[in-house]
Amino acid sequence: MWREVFNQVVKIQKGPLVPETVCFKPVDEWTDITTLYEDLRLHLKHFRLVTDENPFANPILLLAVNLARRLDKGEVTFSALEQLIQFLDAKAFMVRAERLARYVGTTDPLENLKSLQEFLENLEGLCEKKDFALFAQEVAKEPFGIVITAHPTFALREDLMHLLSDLASGRNVAGVPLSKEQVEDIIKQALWREHLPDPQITLEKEHHLALEAIANIKKALLRFYDLVFKVAQRQFPDKWWEIRPRLITVASWVGYDLDGRRDIDWAKSFAFRLEERKLALNNYRQTLQHIIELLPITSETEDIRGILAQVLQTLEENLAGLDEEISAFQNASQDLEVYFEELRQVAKRMYQGLPRRLTKPSILCAALDAAIEAAKKFPEIQHRLCLLRTEIDVFGLGLSHIHVRLNSKQIHNAMRPLIGLETDPEDPSVKKTYLKALDQLLAGVSPVSINFGSLIRERTTAKRLFMLVAQMVKYIDSETPIRFLIAETESSFTSIAALYFAKLFKVEEHVDLSPLLETTRALVRGARIVDEMLANYHYKNYVLLRGRLCVQTGFSDAGRHLGQPAAGFAIENFRRRLAKVIEKHKLSDVELVIFNTHGESIGRGAHPANFTSRLAYIMPPKSRVELSQKVAALKEEFSFQGGDGYLYFLNPYLALSVLARIFEFARETFAPEDPFYQEWDYVFEFFTTVQQFNERIMQDPVYASLLNDYGRNFIFPTGSRALKRQFEVEKTLLTAAEIRAIPHNAILHQLGLLANTIGGMGQAVRRNPDQFIRFQQKSWRFRQLVSMAEYALSLSDFYAFAGYLHLLDPEFWLMLAAKASNPLQAQELRRVADSLEPLDRHAGFSRIGRLFYRDLLNFAEVLGAIHAVKKRADSIIYEREGLWMDEEIRDDLEILHALRQAIIYQIFTLAVQIPEFSPQRGTTREEIIERILHLDVESAVKVLKQIFPLLEPGALSDDFGEKATYQTEDQLGYWQEHQNIFNPLESLYRLVKRITGGVTHIIGAFG
């Protein structure tokens, strides 16, 4: 689709393809990048053929060496290399846009609105029974929820993110289909801009983007609600305005997620929430003003005008002073000591004005109810008022609902002095003692009152977060629920302890406590954890008070620990066991809320085929049916994480497409008979084998070193959140489990092996290949879980992975030296080998590589048999559409890996040219070279430039009457070293990062 236009644009290109940040100045003559590209494709094809005769040959590494030699000989310039990378990045950008468009399905707003209307008209009982009560009941449910998170996947600069969303939607933000000229303009911008993150990704920037995404979701939702009322008006003309539709909620934790963060203080979070309040109230005011302007001025509209004038006055009064409040809390985030007095004065005014402060959206809705009743003679006005009432009713006094989040360790830390908690709450020797002590605390809890000074003085994260919630309820919105997520929950103790603090700070009627089950231990014991929570008298009463039970499952971290297919199985197993727990505790009158936390990559639970498959993967039809039968209502939430997730919502028509796919999924959900659920022994053993493989590899310290000491330097910061949680910062890395899920996955993407999704599948398959083939043929759910690994396999290339490992092998460099074109180059290559020898990395990394390769071969062998059978027998059902790359894109991915390996070759040869120096700045020459050989180039060059400074000409030769052009070596400093070693090192490493952008585009997500 767009790639054809891309090729046309490149064909008429008249100048060098260089972005704003030029690493290598283009030569005078323009290099024909397309010719170089086709030449590399031909070489790649040739090197692949070599492997048929020589099993030791690696086509990607051979292409890298070929390119490195051409660079050494001057046949290819670094400038041409930079332009080729820019070309491939931009082309991959087009590929990503095409994939995104296919993924969400049609983006035609009329078709999507028609789909949403069909969903409404097919609601049970509407068409046949004309049952208003049933229709009103159905549209008032909340079967789904969208959650916007701040996960660090902001791997693309903001302007390119918007262009990517527009290109995927095929429309601009005004809804006009993109013309060929507009597409060409987007392509030109993609060709001339770096495909990297913005330099400074702050929490404020993430919050701004989140609000933009939420605003577009709201636009799509209001169009949906507009349809709801139109359908109701057509079917129930006498009472259509009485319905209170909800259907789907929108929440955000951007600015409220404290899990592993030190940089978000309570004042910053409160300022964000105030800002959201201001935007919401201002939106309501503007909508109301527009409605008032449409009202005819007659005696029949006096009552309506009077009501609306009062609502408008309320909104304006509550907007007054908000800027001052926002400023005070923003300033307090910067320096509490300096701005304490300003905050104290603002807090006093807020408290004094509390009786007049609007904190209940129901007050606005009640006033609008009266206006709607009075506007029966004006159906257009009535319709608009219903939409405004719905917006306020669904979203409250902010732009969205909010989720706050912390870690279970922070709950335990807050509880420790209260009950003498000294060990893991699950320690069998003291578990009952801890729970009994906690029960006594809950029985005798005496609520306390707080003010903003209490927040300033409190040093315990968990208590401070509950205090913050209390102040939000008091001053911002006292009716819209706040979700309280607890990450890495592995014990019932954690949620019960959180309930104590909720009661202590009087917010148990406003917060929905939600344990996040994401670790292996938590998922294995998940149903038992919830069972023990409900067995506690106080917690069960709390659930009954709230009328809802909330849990959260984490596909991201679970995928890292268990392997993604095994994680999908474990989470579904938990869901089915949860249904039995709910039945045991007789909670049939309670709403069950499951927040399915997943990201945009397959390693984080996003099925790659299409949006319907994505939803079915995290919300399997079988468990949805089982859970729905046990509770009064089932609500399932799913996350869109960080920059990758926001792409769906930076264009309002793409957002509408997502909304249409969600409700198509709701309409078409079914639970077919499937041997997956009958032949449990095989299924359980299959995924347990996958799980065990991944658990072993995650605990291997060599694997941790491969990712952390080498692979981590392939990626770059993609968010404001630190790569390690706050309580991990000072620890020495022992296992890969200590690396966060997103960088862990991203490193594997860049190394060319999506191991956390493929790993263990080969071992599981080889245990019983015939049974595996049968399940692939007969079981829809089994096929869906396995297809994640199949897609990961299509994006992986063991030759690429092996190439990165070979670059750390001293023997590889000695063999290159033996074939060097001149003695000087041979000596340089031997020096690289000598520098790598004491690091002793290659042997251990190769062992890890063999584990993966053996497993990969087993998996690929059986898959090959399945697909060969499929060609001979059409009766075998196997869906591959949307899961595989075409040959050209596969070539592009392998060329990007080869380019990066050629650049690393150049970086390593430059590293050994660093001049000798005596130990200084806390380091030695050998340590600096070691850093560079691990690709820690930026920090190494920074130190080198301090050790070898580039001095400015002095003033000693000035003012002597005659002009002197001669400069001593002292005046020049180390100009040659900067020009020939340090600056090229920086520039080459910049190209490594640019390649990371192209690989991310092809894979479709960062981490």
Side-chain angles (χ1 to χ4, degrees), residues 44 47 56-68 799-800 802-807 812 816 894 897-898 901-902 905:
L44 182 61
F47 290 138
F56 298 100
N58 180 330
I60 293 177
L61 188 60
L62 286 173
L63 183 60
V65 171
N66 174 273
L67 189 55
Y799 284 127
Y804 291 117
L805 301 189
H806 275 303
L807 290 170
F812 166 76
L816 287 176
E894 294 191 354
H897 284 303
Q901 290 173 19
Y905 172 104

Side-chain angles (χ1 to χ4, degrees), residues 487-505:
E488 295 188 335
T489 295
E490 295 185 333
S491 170
S492 60
F493 175 93
T494 309
S495 297
I496 299 170
L499 177 58
Y500 167 76
F501 293 116
K503 285 180 172 291
L504 181 67
F505 297 109

